[in-house]
Amino acid sequence: MSHDKEILQASAKHPQPGSIFQYGTAGVPLHFLLHGVYLTVLPHFPNVTLSTPCIFLTIINSDLLDSVVFRVGLLAALRSKKLNGQTVGVMITASHNPPVDNGVKLVDPMGEMLESSWEAYATELANIESDEGVVEVYNKLISNLKIKPEAPARIVLARDTRASGPALVLALTDALDAVGAETQDFGYLTTPQLHYITRCINTKGTAQEYGEPTEEGYYTKISTAFKQAMKHKRKSGAVTVDCANGVGGPKLRELVKYLPTAADGGVDIKIVNDDTSNPENLNVQCGADYVKTGQRAPPSSKAHAMERCCSLDGDADRLVYYYLDSSSRFQLLDGDRIATLCASFIGDLARQSGLSDSLKIGIVQTAYANGASTDYVANTLKLPAICTATGVKHLHHAAQRFDIGVYFEANGHGTVLFSPQASRCLRTHEPRSPAQQSALETLRAMSDLINQTVGDALSDMLTVEVILSHKSWSTVEWSNTYKDLPNLLLKTDVRDKSVFTTTDAERRLETPRGLQREIDALVERYARGRCFARASGTEDAMRVYAEASSKSEAEDLGHKVRELVRHFGG
């Protein structure tokens, strides 16, 4: 059945503002990075951005996103048809970005990121200037991808609290209606909740059934697992949760209704920055990105010394912890710290349950992970570690190499993946003692508590609280597991950053020739020295990361390597 007429009429309501979208970065002066995704800003239309590694588009002036969201709706329907009617998710959000931004993200059936081969199709659709061209490319994709036109298309969608959301939902549903897609609008959700629901729908009634495909099902699954994991444990003190004035605020308040109170063995959760009635406050002087970047608590948190605090981002897929020490100095517990905490606890549970020989547990980091954390993983936790290129997509894939793979970026986005083999082990293992039984029950609960589809700030926050309870740790003990090496991150403008190419997970430069040799010679002069340079994903610049045993040495190393980069970069 042809939908040419319907697409043509609907497309006319969402005209493209010119050929302004493209992938890649060569020759473009400014880029943004979102969720490990490169977003290109075109010089002749600086308000428009487009992502590369997965479908996630962001535009500063959200009016300009209208045509893109419409066309992404067509692509979502095609993706579902190609997968014989499996449900595909569409999330409208711009995460930690300012409230004037917005974006759109596609979610594949198992809750994972969109298959990379489809990225080029999004580019092609986004660049078409005419409505007739949209119809032509839509039909060409049906032919080239061997999609059955009569196959059903099933889409679930949601959005965050941005003021531009309703208009973009309208553009999306216009596209879906035009091609006869079955659509279910879940309204306001966190991004991880939509990933969860997408996976639940597609696994319902199968051996891989993940849960009830509703918002209530999400709360029930997490709260049930949390109660089991906290069995016979009690956490002292409250945790103050900064919700970035985003969708995580009302969703956390709803989740709390399903959790036991502190008196009943739960955690006392104090919610701040949950004002969603004023969208212009989203991510303003609050949220995970504000805390991580500024190395300070949100002014509105009013946290006292030694109080446990954490911050979500605008769509609740990032989490960082922090506290003020006894001298009121800010102490950050970022994604690296969360990763080592999770890996330590899960490794302990595997040994205590008698599964250490059956499960390969590992941790995935990027070059930006502090060297002290890498040493802690290798020498104290004695777990294998993989270093990948920057970006959640790379970390997620690397984590799948383990039976239980832990990954977090320093910005707080990450999760713990349990492979099918790990799930079978947890399900079939027969403990030989009450102690093994207890550890096994907790490990099973952790596999349900941690969102398997994507980084989830609400799930991750409860995971951290469980672990601290089991270890009887405060944030001070957590912080004392290792001492970060002094480090420095610098930026320098270069004439053409494309001449800088990397290898070894972005830790070494292949070109310009000779530059890496000179960096190596400098690094050898410093105790525990490490330094690398890589092209920025957000600007036409190079970023230089340096660390050493002292602050002065890290700064000296970083500045000297920056001068080398400037010299080789012209």
Side-chain angles (χ1 to χ4, degrees):
M1 175 183 176
S2 172
H3 295 286
D4 292 4
K5 180 179 178 182
E6 291 83 357
I7 295 173
L8 189 65
Q9 291 176 343
S11 182
K13 295 159 57 179
H14 307 281
Q16 206 256 20
S19 295
I20 54 178
F21 305 104
Q22 68 178 46
Y23 281 102
T25 58
V28 181
L30 183 63
H31 313 287
F32 294 97
L33 184 66
L34 180 59
H35 286 275
V37 176
Y38 293 105
L39 306 172
T40 301
V41 181
L42 302 191
H44 61 284
F45 216 115
N47 282 339
V48 181
T49 62
L50 179 65
S51 66
T52 50
C54 75
I55 302 306
F56 201 142
L57 312 158
T58 298
I59 292 187
I60 293 175
N61 180 349
S62 56
D63 291 341
L64 299 173
L65 193 55
D66 184 78
S67 69
V68 178
V69 172
F70 175 82
R71 292 155 190 224
V72 167
L74 296 178
L75 189 71
L78 286 174
R79 180 66 179 160
S80 179
K81 285 175 176 284
K82 175 63 178 176
L83 299 174
N84 297 315
Q86 290 189 74
T87 298
V88 168
V90 184
M91 183 72 195
I92 295 177
T93 179
S95 188
H96 61 281
N97 277 26
V100 293
D101 292 5
N102 217 329
V104 57
K105 178 181 183 180
L106 295 190
V107 181
D108 255 358
M110 289 300 287
E112 71 274 49
M113 291 181 286
L114 180 71
E115 184 181 305
S116 59
S117 63
W118 280 62
E119 295 154 11
Y121 311 144
T123 304
E124 188 174 10
L125 278 167
N127 279 321
I128 301 166
E129 296 187 40
S130 69
D131 302 323
E132 292 78 10
V134 171
V135 175
E136 181 181 346
V137 170
Y138 180 86
N139 287 324
K140 183 184 76 173
L141 290 174
I142 286 178
S143 175
N144 292 350
L145 296 171
K146 296 179 171 56
I147 295 172
K148 298 176 182 178
E150 69 277 9
R154 299 184 176 97
I155 307 296
V156 290
L157 63 105
R159 64 184 180 93
D160 68 12
T161 57
R162 295 166 195 269
S164 56
L168 296 179
V169 167
L170 180 61
L172 176 63
T173 54
D174 278 350
L176 299 174
D177 290 345
V179 296
E182 299 175 26
T183 305
Q184 189 172 4
D185 185 352
F186 281 86
Y188 294 120
L189 288 180
T190 69
T191 293
Q193 285 178 327
L194 185 70
H195 281 253
Y196 162 87
I197 287 172
T198 303
R199 181 165 180 167
C200 289
I201 290 173
N202 288 297
T203 58
K204 192 170 182 62
T206 72
Q208 295 80 38
E209 185 164 336
Y210 192 60
E212 187 64 28
T214 63
E215 185 178 344
E216 293 74 17
Y218 170 89
Y219 299 132
T220 299
K221 177 168 184 166
I222 287 181
S223 61
T224 300
F226 177 76
K227 292 171 189 174
Q228 178 62 41
M230 287 289 285
K231 195 175 181 181
H232 308 309
K233 300 294 177 182
R234 190 176 296 273
K235 189 75 189 88
S236 62
V239 58
T240 298
V241 185
D242 156 34
C243 296
N245 292 321
V247 67
K251 300 312 179 185
L252 177 55
R253 287 199 179 278
E254 190 63 27
L255 174 58
V256 166
K257 297 176 183 177
Y258 291 74
L259 300 174
T261 64
D264 293 329
V267 176
D268 183 8
I269 297 174
K270 295 181 179 179
I271 299 173
V272 299
N273 296 325
D274 62 335
D275 176 18
T276 57
S277 60
N278 296 291
E280 66 275 11
N281 291 332
L282 177 66
N283 293 322
V284 176
Q285 291 195 310
C286 58
D289 191 59
Y290 174 88
V291 171
K292 170 66 176 172
T293 303
Q295 297 285 303
R296 59 189 183 274
S300 55
S301 74
K302 298 181 173 60
H304 297 100
M306 309 307 294
E307 290 185 350
R308 197 166 69 255
C309 303
C310 65
S311 288
L312 324 179
D313 68 339
D315 65 335
D317 67 354
R318 293 187 186 187
L319 175 78
V320 294
Y321 268 73
Y322 49 94
Y323 67 101
L324 300 179
D325 65 18
S326 57
S327 300
S328 293
R329 290 173 300 193
F330 178 83
Q331 303 291 338
L332 178 67
L333 297 157
D334 62 6
D336 290 340
R337 296 279 183 175
I338 296 173
T340 54
L341 182 72
C342 290
S344 169
F345 183 60
I346 289 172
D348 288 345
L349 289 176
R351 285 187 291 274
Q352 293 163 9
S353 61
L355 282 170
S356 57
D357 293 334
S358 303
L359 297 174
K360 184 179 180 182
I361 302 169
I363 191 167
V364 184
Q365 298 180 316
T366 71
Y368 287 109
N370 194 277
S373 73
T374 305
D375 290 345
Y376 176 72
V377 171
N379 300 324
T380 302
L381 301 184
K382 300 189 182 305
L383 292 173
I386 296 174
C387 185
T388 72
T390 304
V392 169
K393 180 178 182 178
H394 301 294
L395 279 84
H396 192 95
H397 288 169
Q400 291 174 328
R401 301 180 198 174
F402 298 107
D403 294 318
I404 302 178
V406 181
Y407 76 85
F408 278 84
E409 290 191 300
N411 63 24
H413 187 259
T415 190
V416 181
L417 300 181
F418 289 75
S419 71
Q421 160 67 12
S423 297
R424 281 192 296 272
C425 279
L426 297 183
R427 189 170 58 250
T428 61
H429 180 64
E430 296 183 4
R432 298 181 179 180
S433 69
Q436 284 194 357
Q437 178 69 38
S438 177
L440 179 62
E441 289 176 355
T442 302
L443 192 52
R444 287 170 176 165
M446 297 300 288
S447 70
D448 283 334
L449 176 60
I450 301 168
N451 194 328
Q452 298 295 289
T453 65
V454 73
D456 183 341
L458 301 185
S459 164
D460 292 341
M461 183 265 292
L462 293 180
T463 297
V464 169
E465 294 300 312
V466 165
I467 297 173
L468 294 179
S469 297
H470 276 258
K471 289 180 174 288
S472 298
W473 279 3
S474 70
T475 47
V476 176
E477 283 86 12
W478 181 10
S479 183
N480 287 340
T481 50
Y482 61 86
K483 183 178 181 181
D484 280 327
L485 288 169
N487 58 87
L488 182 70
L489 181 61
L490 297 170
K491 181 186 75 173
T492 183
D493 294 331
V494 291
R495 183 176 300 172
D496 180 8
K497 71 177 183 181
S498 67
V499 304
F500 295 87
T501 60
T502 63
T503 185
D504 189 23
E506 302 178 324
R507 291 177 289 189
R508 300 184 63 82
L509 285 164
E510 282 191 313
T511 61
R513 292 188 181 279
L515 175 54
Q516 186 61 53
R517 183 170 59 250
E518 296 203 29
I519 292 175
D520 291 342
L522 276 174
V523 168
E524 288 179 358
R525 303 177 190 175
Y526 300 87
R528 301 193 71 181
R530 184 170 73 95
C531 189
F532 66 90
R534 61 181 288 273
S536 169
T538 61
E539 300 168 81
D540 262 339
M542 292 293 293
R543 297 198 183 278
V544 175
Y545 176 87
E547 63 184 34
S549 60
S550 70
K551 181 179 179 182
S552 61
E553 287 182 306
E555 290 177 346
D556 191 50
L557 174 59
H559 286 291
K560 285 181 178 178
V561 171
R562 181 171 68 174
E563 289 307 310
L564 281 177
V565 170
R566 282 175 174 169
H567 174 73
F568 277 81

